[in-house]
Amino acid sequence: MRNYINFLLGIVTLVSLGSCSSSSGFIFALHTETFQSKKADFRKVVCINPTYRKFEDSDFDTEDYEFANKFKEVYNQSIEKYSKKNGLTYEVYSPYSEGENLTNYYKDLLPLKSTILKSLNVQDNPMNEVESNTYKKVIIQKFVVPTQLPAELAQLVNKYDTPYFSLVDIYTSHGKSYLFHVVVDLSLGRIEYQEIKGYSNLVKKTEMKMFVYDSFYLLDKFFKK
């Protein structure tokens, strides 16, 4: 997980310096060439254990577990609520799930999240670096080389009745905060959409809900283009 944070923060540093050095936030999204036309197929997304982590320092070294634990359940509920408000259906699987959903989370989805994170970390490709100007706060580009996932993961498509699986994670501190929203298509074995949203302050409960809503609003607007 630490390697993944370092990888994402490397991208964030590039984006923040290149696109919004004088403002309080930015959005950087990458997508495959065909993803934008798939709204009709995007009827259900399995969201794997959304992570909301608060740190005492802007280097993300010292974690405040007590603070983040207060809002984990609200965070999960916000993802399901605000995805639906934007015409999307995200179903959250996490340690808060019950019955068969909880079993499936530990059996299938927790290992899947680990695989996605490892693939992102290992397959960092300089050809996907952002092409921005100094004044743009929202940058949306196509992948040159999308991150690939193991083909055997396609067996989960029929079991969960969707090819789409997602990670929606927030890392926050008093100096800077980031939301990472990743959508994968297991039938194609690749990452379809990847958003990094930055903010220059701590994301508490109210800001967290706005952060989540804005991410789904952007995704829905992206499909409508």
Side-chain angles (χ1 to χ4, degrees), residues 119-135:
S119 297
L120 280 167
N121 186 52
V122 171
Q123 297 182 48
D124 179 19
N125 193 304
M127 288 188 289
N128 291 323
E129 289 182 355
V130 60
E131 297 175 4
S132 66
N133 63 57
T134 306
Y135 304 103

Side-chain angles (χ1 to χ4, degrees), residues 5 27 55 58-59 67 74 97 118 125 138 147 152 157 167 176 192 194 205:
I5 294 176
I27 298 171
F55 295 82
S58 59
D59 292 326
F67 180 96
V74 174
S97 299
K118 288 177 182 176
N125 193 304
V138 179
T147 301
E152 60 267 23
V157 172
L167 313 182
K176 52 189 175 182
E192 291 285 294
Q194 180 178 311
K205 185 177 181 180

Side-chain angles (χ1 to χ4, degrees), residues 87-105:
L88 309 167
T89 302
Y90 273 51
E91 296 183 2
V92 171
Y93 286 71
S94 76
Y96 291 101
S97 299
E98 298 179 351
E100 185 178 359
N101 284 1
L102 182 62
T103 300
N104 289 336
Y105 164 70

Side-chain angles (χ1 to χ4, degrees), residues 34-223:
T34 59
F35 184 60
Q36 202 167 24
S37 64
K38 294 182 178 180
K39 178 65 183 287
D41 300 327
F42 204 68
R43 56 185 176 77
K44 173 184 173 182
V45 182
V46 172
C47 187
I48 309 170
N49 192 24
T51 299
Y52 175 68
R53 299 175 66 182
K54 189 256 186 181
F55 295 82
E56 297 289 349
D57 60 306
S58 59
D59 292 326
F60 299 89
D61 289 322
T62 306
E63 188 164 359
D64 183 347
Y65 295 99
E66 184 177 355
F67 180 96
N69 284 335
K70 294 178 183 177
F71 304 116
K72 282 186 177 179
E73 193 165 3
V74 174
Y75 184 47
N76 291 354
Q77 293 168 352
S78 296
I79 287 170
E80 292 188 334
K81 177 181 178 180
Y82 294 128
S83 65
K84 289 179 181 177
K85 281 186 176 291
N86 286 284
L88 309 167
T89 302
Y90 273 51
E91 296 183 2
V92 171
Y93 286 71
S94 76
Y96 291 101
S97 299
E98 298 179 351
E100 185 178 359
N101 284 1
L102 182 62
T103 300
N104 289 336
Y105 164 70
Y106 282 109
K107 181 180 178 181
D108 300 326
L109 301 179
L110 191 58
L112 174 58
K113 181 168 185 175
S114 178
T115 299
I116 294 170
L117 295 179
K118 288 177 182 176
S119 297
L120 280 167
N121 186 52
V122 171
Q123 297 182 48
D124 179 19
N125 193 304
M127 288 188 289
N128 291 323
E129 289 182 355
V130 60
E131 297 175 4
S132 66
N133 63 57
T134 306
Y135 304 103
K136 292 189 71 174
K137 293 172 61 177
V138 179
I139 305 161
I140 300 177
Q141 297 178 186
K142 294 179 182 179
F143 280 114
V144 176
V145 182
T147 301
Q148 302 297 312
L149 300 171
E152 60 267 23
L153 294 174
Q155 63 184 326
L156 297 177
V157 172
N158 289 334
K159 181 173 181 178
Y160 291 90
D161 192 30
T162 179
Y164 296 111
F165 295 75
S166 178
L167 313 182
V168 186
D169 297 341
I170 289 178
Y171 301 89
T172 184
S173 73
H174 289 282
K176 52 189 175 182
S177 300
Y178 304 110
L179 177 145
F180 305 107
H181 187 168
V182 176
V183 178
V184 307
D185 183 340
L186 293 188
S187 67
L188 298 177
R190 69 185 187 187
I191 290 181
E192 291 285 294
Y193 180 84
Q194 180 178 311
E195 174 200 351
I196 302 175
K197 180 178 176 65
Y199 179 61
S200 61
N201 212 329
L202 183 69
V203 173
K204 294 183 284 188
K205 185 177 181 180
T206 300
E207 294 87 356
M208 175 255 286
K209 290 182 177 180
M210 293 174 61
F211 231 35
V212 172
Y213 181 89
D214 287 348
S215 183
F216 288 118
Y217 177 82
L218 176 70
L219 182 55
D220 184 42
K221 185 178 178 181
F222 164 82
F223 277 127

